[in-house]
Structures are given as C-alpha cells and as structure tokens.
Amino acid sequence: MKVLALNGSSHSHGVTYAALKVVADELKEQGIDTEIIHVGSRPIGGCVDCRKCRTDHRCSYNDQVNEIIDRLDEFDGIILGAPAHYMGIPGTFKAFLDRFFYATEHLEGHTHLVCSAITVCRRAGAIDTFHQLNNYFACSNQVVIGSQYWNVVFGWKPDEFLEQDVEGVQTLKVLSGNIAWALKVIDATKDTIPHPVIKEKRTRTNFCR
Ligand SMILES: Cc1cc2nc3c(=O)[nH]c(=O)nc-3n(C[C@H](O)[C@H](O)[C@H](O)COP(=O)(O)O)c2cc1C
C-alpha cells in the first residue's frame, strides 16, 4: 500500500515536510509506503476554466498537475500538507489543487482513498487552511481520517516543531495509526465489501429552482 503526500509549502524541507515525514515514518513502521512530492518548487498557474478537461480528463496545461494525475493508480491514500499563508492555502498549492481536482472531476475513478489534511503555522490561521484543504476531499467521495485533535502543528523551523510542539507530533502519530488502520481495513475487505458503486451519472443543477 502506498500513500501520496503532497507538500504544498514553498520550502521543500520546511515544517510541512517535517510534519509529513512524521506521518511517513509512522506509516513505514506499519508496512505502508509514502511518497512525499513537493508541489511548491515550480510556479504553477491557476485554473482558467477552459473546460478542456471535461473531454480530455487531464489539464490543458501540461505540468506537474498532469504528472500526478497520470500516477493516481499507484496510491491508496492522499495526504495534503500546507502551511498557512495569510490564513489560507499558499497560492501555488491552491492553483495546483484547483486544477488537480477540477481536471479529474473530483478524483473520479479514484474514490474512497484514505485521505487527510495537515496544516502548519507560526501562530494563527492553520484551522482556516485545514478547512480549505478538507473541502477538496469533502466533494470527491474520499474517506477522511482524523486524529485525537485537529491536524495542526506549529513552528517556524522544522526543529522548533519537532522539539517543542509535543502535542502536535503526538497528534500526527495518532493520525498515522488511524490512517494505517483504515488502509488495512479497506484492503482486507475489498473483495467482501467493495467500494460503493456510483450508478447514476453525476447530476449538475446549476441553480436552485
Ligand atoms: C506569504 C506568507 C504568509 C504567511 N502567513 C501566515 C499566517 O497567516 N499565519 C501564520 O501563523 N504564519 C504565516 N506564515 C508563516 C508560515 O506559515 C510558517 O513559517 C510555517 O512554518 C512555514 O512552513 P514551511 O516551512 O513548511 O513553509 C506565512 C508565511 C508566508 C511566507
């Protein structure tokens, strides 16, 4: 089993990476691999609503968004990690996520993955960012996993988080146990309790009548 962890920070090895690594190390102990992919290292433009993805099922801008769409079959779970930038998802990561979820029609064909969001801040805004990340899972038929407290950690530098945010580290370790359990349950029951089949074609009512 393998989990995709997207690091939406501008720092490839900052606090968000350290938080994702805590989870990856815990999952490893449970026999689950994690690939941490850094999304913030290259400029990424936002969705221009060209709607070509409605026929192509990929984004018309061929960049890291399509690279990861093409690899979705490899993963049983997705973790989104991001720092708070002005109490929200950093711009580059937001651009990525909008196009990633829109181009795949909310991960159509990749539903019931084990998913969770982790946010980081120096002082304030991690909860707003946490809500924003979870919005992507909540409209895409995913299994969202929580912990003993919200997946929010604090720090300006990785060591500050790892050494001083004792509760944050513990929250992530408990989260990892919950993720591992859900992955194993879904895997063990895949033949007896398959994923719900969404029989009807998606209906879109564009305004309330
Ligand atoms: C543009 C920008 C905006 C930020 N906005 C906030 C904020 O609203 N609240 C906060 O606590 N920290 C804010 N920060 C600080 C980062 O969230 C914090 O340093 C975090 O540890 C960075 O994690 P990283 O090392 O994974 O990038 C901001 C940083 C930047 C660069």
Side-chain angles (χ1 to χ4, degrees):
M1 282 176 282
K2 192 171 176 185
V3 170
L4 168 66
L6 297 176
N7 172 13
S9 163
S10 45
H11 302 126
S12 58
H13 288 84
V15 184
T16 307
Y17 174 83
L20 293 173
K21 186 76 169 46
V22 168
V23 176
D25 289 347
E26 292 289 315
L27 291 178
K28 190 78 199 163
E29 282 189 20
Q30 302 248 13
I32 296 160
D33 292 326
T34 305
E35 183 171 342
I36 302 176
I37 297 181
H38 183 215
V39 168
S41 56
R42 302 178 234 168
I44 296 177
C47 180
V48 296
D49 198 12
C50 68
R51 305 183 187 181
K52 291 206 178 85
C53 57
R54 290 294 167 263
T55 45
D56 298 351
H57 307 295
R58 301 173 95 246
C59 187
S60 57
Y61 291 100
N62 199 23
D63 58 12
Q64 197 178 15
V65 172
N66 284 340
E67 284 170 26
I68 296 178
I69 288 174
D70 289 345
R71 295 188 55 201
L72 273 173
D73 279 340
E74 295 175 35
F75 303 106
D76 306 289
I78 300 178
I79 300 172
L80 302 178
H85 279 192
Y86 291 98
M87 295 198 161
I89 302 171
T92 304
F93 198 36
K94 171 90 167 82
F96 173 92
L97 291 172
D98 284 356
R99 288 172 49 218
F100 179 64
F101 279 85
Y102 205 69
T104 55
E105 291 211 53
H106 307 177
L107 297 180
E108 196 170 34
H110 302 279
T111 63
H112 306 89
L113 302 177
V114 174
C115 294
S116 200
I118 298 170
T119 56
V120 169
C121 75
R122 186 190 68 80
R123 189 167 176 83
I127 281 294
D128 305 66
T129 312
F130 184 71
H131 289 316
Q132 290 171 22
L133 290 178
N134 276 303
N135 287 340
Y136 293 97
F137 297 139
C139 66
S140 57
N141 292 299
Q142 305 304 337
V143 179
V144 181
I145 304 296
S147 181
Q148 63 190 9
Y149 214 69
W150 297 279
N151 308 329
V152 164
V153 303
F154 289 84
W156 172 252
K157 295 271 172 139
D159 286 350
E160 194 177 54
F161 150 61
L162 291 167
E163 288 162 16
Q164 295 181 46
D165 188 3
V166 177
E167 184 173 353
V169 171
Q170 186 181 70
T171 300
L172 296 186
K173 288 185 176 176
V174 173
L175 172 71
S176 311
N178 293 342
I179 290 172
W181 175 83
L183 284 167
K184 289 175 186 178
V185 168
I186 290 172
D187 187 59
T189 58
K190 62 179 181 289
D191 296 328
T192 48
I193 312 174
H195 291 170
V197 178
I198 300 151
K199 294 186 183 121
E200 290 183 8
K201 189 168 163 39
R202 186 190 295 236
T203 304
R204 281 201 172 80
T205 309
N206 292 340
F207 53 90
C208 296
R209 294 176 170 88

